[in-house]
Amino acid sequence: MPADAAADQAGIDRAIVDPRTYADQAACDALFARLRRERPAHWTAPDSVRPFWTISRHADIKDIERQNDRFINDPRLVLTSIADEERVKRITGGNHLLLRTLVNMDDPDHRVYRNLTQPWFMPPNLKKLEAGLAALAREFVDRLEDMDGECDFVRDVAVWYPLRVIMMILGVPREDEALMLKLTQEIFGARDPDMRRGGDTDEKAHVSATVKEFFSYFGALIADRRKNPKDDVASVIANAQIGGKPISEFEALSYYVIIATAGHDTTSSTTAGGLLALMQNPAELAKLRARPDLLRLAIDEMVRWVTPVKHFFRTATVDHDLHGHTIRAGDSLMMCYASANRDEAVFAEPYAFKVDRAPNPHIAFGYGVHLCLGQHLAKMEIRTLYEELLSRLEHVELAGDPAWVEATFVSGLKRLPIRYRMK
Ligand code: HEM
């Protein structure tokens, strides 16, 4: 390869794995527009990360995720450095996973475990949450009333409302929410010394202590829900059986962890990113105010616009030809949802935020058998908040610079200063 082509390739590869790319919408859009156009299946070999194929077109991602026997989840799920992969193996004594959750599983286990909770997450069952969600939305908009017309919408609303919803369905009382947030951050942020529990010098001891604390918390919750089942998802998991036997505590715990983590940052990023999009597109906000019946479409557009989950990986089990390349069995592929949802082959004016976009075949919730389990809940909770917010908010504008989390996996706003007037 000529030197300038090699430098170009290295630049692209660095950008794909650089967390800063995903905190800079213009850079992200430019990178992926080029990949979709010139290199839709791009062999990516950055320093310090095992190589993989970057898949950027909407149609290819759907095609790959549809074939879940030829492209599986277990071997590699998200972008991680080689050092982080080694770290997990050190902690687990050789295993590549800290916990085994739905997203890590393939069939036949995936189907069996997903079926345990899928009915609970379907719209007919979720109807029973309507009144509770409306009350929570009121409470959070009341908070805005109580503040003096200025706040950080992320810190004051978007982080806490989805957390409360998830904890409510997991049966965690409000006073334990901060503990849950701390424990999940400790597990997932254990490499960062600031996130470690006091006194732990080595990370293995740190993670084991956190997992133990999780186990004892949810162990008590499981015991309670076995004795006194309620109609929350915590009770469904606690009483789940496979082949006539209760699932183990480890499996139940993994289930709680995936719901707690998958359902939080994703929804809060969309809630905050949606408000920013409305403020930056006043004509769209006006359209939505004039026609509140557009809210369902608007929420879907917010999810497409933000695409908080930037990617998931699949691993090929057989050789596969794509755009003139042979993807070998064992190769991994990065499904770039953030790129797919701006694909000009699928979306008219992909870089425009339109509250009435229809159809809107985005794949921000993924596709195929792993399609987000919580998608109906996510849309329902965001819609409920916006119903309340838009009906009580008279005016809203940016009051400073927004800031984004630098992360390659789940990313969104970390700061959204707003100035507003209530009716
Ligand atoms: C899976 C996105 C909210 C629970 C996924 C996947 C994506 C995603 C991209 C992987 C799909 C694939 O591999 O094809 C989102 C977005 C959300 C959101 C954008 C909010 C806007 C939620 C909520 C919950 C949740 C609120 C839980 C209550 C899950 C679970 C899985 C999943 C359990 C694993 C499903 C499986 O592997 O079968 N989500 N999610 N998500 N999500 Fe969500």
Side-chain angles (χ1 to χ4, degrees):
M1 195 191 292
D4 50 350
D8 186 33
Q9 158 98 25
I12 292 177
D13 293 2
R14 264 197 309 276
I16 292 170
V17 300
D18 188 342
R20 287 171 299 184
T21 300
Y22 303 89
D24 177 346
Q25 192 66 49
C28 187
D29 287 346
L31 170 70
F32 284 110
R34 180 173 173 204
L35 285 170
R36 285 194 301 277
R37 199 169 55 239
E38 296 172 10
R39 305 171 184 216
H42 170 69
W43 182 245
T44 315
D47 294 339
S48 68
V49 177
R50 280 192 294 130
F52 55 89
W53 295 94
T54 298
I55 308 296
S56 46
R57 288 189 187 162
H58 189 279
D60 294 334
I61 295 177
K62 276 176 69 176
D63 204 41
I64 289 165
E65 295 207 359
R66 188 183 293 123
Q67 304 175 61
N68 61 306
D69 50 343
R70 296 162 62 94
F71 297 97
I72 59 173
N73 282 35
D74 173 64
R76 189 176 185 183
L77 199 61
V78 293
L79 188 70
T80 355
S81 64
I82 293 170
D84 272 356
E85 288 177 345
E86 294 303 322
R87 167 186 160 257
V88 169
K89 285 192 190 146
R90 261 197 324 274
I91 291 169
T92 58
N95 200 322
H96 67 297
L97 299 175
L98 268 178
L99 292 163
R100 185 164 175 261
T101 73
L102 271 191
V103 258
N104 307 110
M105 291 180 188
D106 294 294
D107 279 345
D109 284 6
H110 174 261
R111 184 190 303 260
V112 174
Y113 278 87
R114 179 152 173 146
N115 283 345
L116 295 175
T117 57
Q118 169 122 339
W120 196 93
F121 282 102
M122 295 308 278
N125 185 61
L126 294 179
K127 270 190 115 17
K128 69 181 173 214
L129 298 182
E130 270 171 7
L133 289 181
L136 267 185
R138 260 196 312 279
E139 182 190 321
F140 278 90
V141 178
D142 286 349
R143 266 195 206 183
L144 285 180
E145 291 251 24
D146 294 342
M147 285 180 279
D148 239 4
E150 272 201 36
C151 76
D152 176 349
F153 188 72
V154 173
R155 188 197 56 205
D156 296 320
V157 177
V159 165
W160 295 104
Y161 169 72
L163 183 69
R164 181 80 291 266
V165 174
I166 287 297
M167 293 303 153
M168 185 173 86
I169 68 168
L170 281 180
V172 175
R174 201 168 267 225
E175 59 270 21
D176 296 341
E177 250 170 35
L179 173 70
M180 284 298 114
L181 195 59
K182 180 175 98 62
L183 290 180
T184 41
Q185 284 174 346
E186 276 179 2
I187 287 200
F188 293 102
R191 221 161 38 95
D192 179 344
D194 290 347
M195 306 292 282
R196 289 195 197 154
R197 46 181 64 226
D200 281 346
T201 45
D202 83 275
E203 53 186 2
K204 186 169 174 176
H206 157 79
V207 173
S208 318
T210 305
V211 169
K212 232 186 238 156
E213 203 173 334
F214 247 124
F215 259 91
S216 80
Y217 187 90
F218 281 111
L221 188 73
I222 290 168
D224 175 68
R225 292 300 196 274
R226 284 185 178 159
K227 258 198 259 140
N228 316 300
K230 299 191 178 168
D231 63 0
D232 53 16
V233 78
S235 303
V236 175
I237 297 169
N239 294 291
Q241 297 202 345
I242 292 180
K245 289 194 195 125
I247 61 171
S248 72
E249 250 188 34
F250 177 76
E251 287 162 335
L253 176 81
S254 299
Y255 227 126
Y256 286 142
V257 172
I258 182 69
I259 291 177
T261 51
H264 180 221
D265 286 358
T266 48
T267 315
S268 52
S269 296
T270 309
T271 304
L275 185 62
L276 177 60
L278 289 172
M279 291 188 295
Q280 289 176 330
N281 296 275
E284 295 301 302
L285 176 56
K287 202 187 293 173
L288 186 56
R289 281 191 183 285
R291 290 207 34 209
D293 59 304
L294 290 177
L295 194 56
R296 274 174 196 270
L297 293 181
I299 301 301
D300 245 324
E301 178 68 344
M302 288 178 188
V303 179
R304 178 190 81 90
W305 189 248
V306 174
T307 309
V309 179
K310 305 300 168 190
H311 74 270
F312 264 114
F313 272 67
R314 296 293 188 267
T315 299
T317 59
V318 289
D319 288 359
H320 180 86
D321 290 329
L322 189 61
H323 302 301
H325 304 282
T326 300
I327 290 169
R328 301 269 172 219
D331 285 356
S332 41
L333 303 91
M334 186 192 202
M335 309 285 108
C336 298
Y337 304 123
S339 172
N341 288 340
R342 298 283 190 276
D343 190 336
E344 35 292 283
V346 175
F347 300 98
E349 298 182 69
Y351 301 104
F353 175 79
K354 297 176 176 208
V355 291
D356 53 355
R357 185 180 288 278
N360 191 346
H362 70 74
I363 49 172
F365 290 116
Y367 193 74
V369 297
H370 288 278
L371 177 69
C372 177
L373 181 69
Q375 64 157 328
H376 302 296
L377 173 63
K379 287 196 270 192
M380 182 177 165
E381 62 179 279
I382 301 170
R383 196 175 63 241
T384 309
L385 183 70
Y386 272 93
E387 264 162 12
E388 185 72 19
L389 191 61
L390 293 176
S391 68
R392 290 169 60 188
L393 205 57
E394 186 171 284
H395 173 78
V396 60
E397 63 185 33
L398 262 179
D401 291 334
W404 281 262
V405 174
E406 291 178 359
T408 54
F409 176 40
V410 178
S411 163
L413 285 162
K414 65 177 175 194
R415 192 174 62 234
L416 183 61
I418 59 169
R419 190 172 304 119
Y420 55 92
R421 215 171 37 250
M422 308 298 286
K423 282 183 183 160

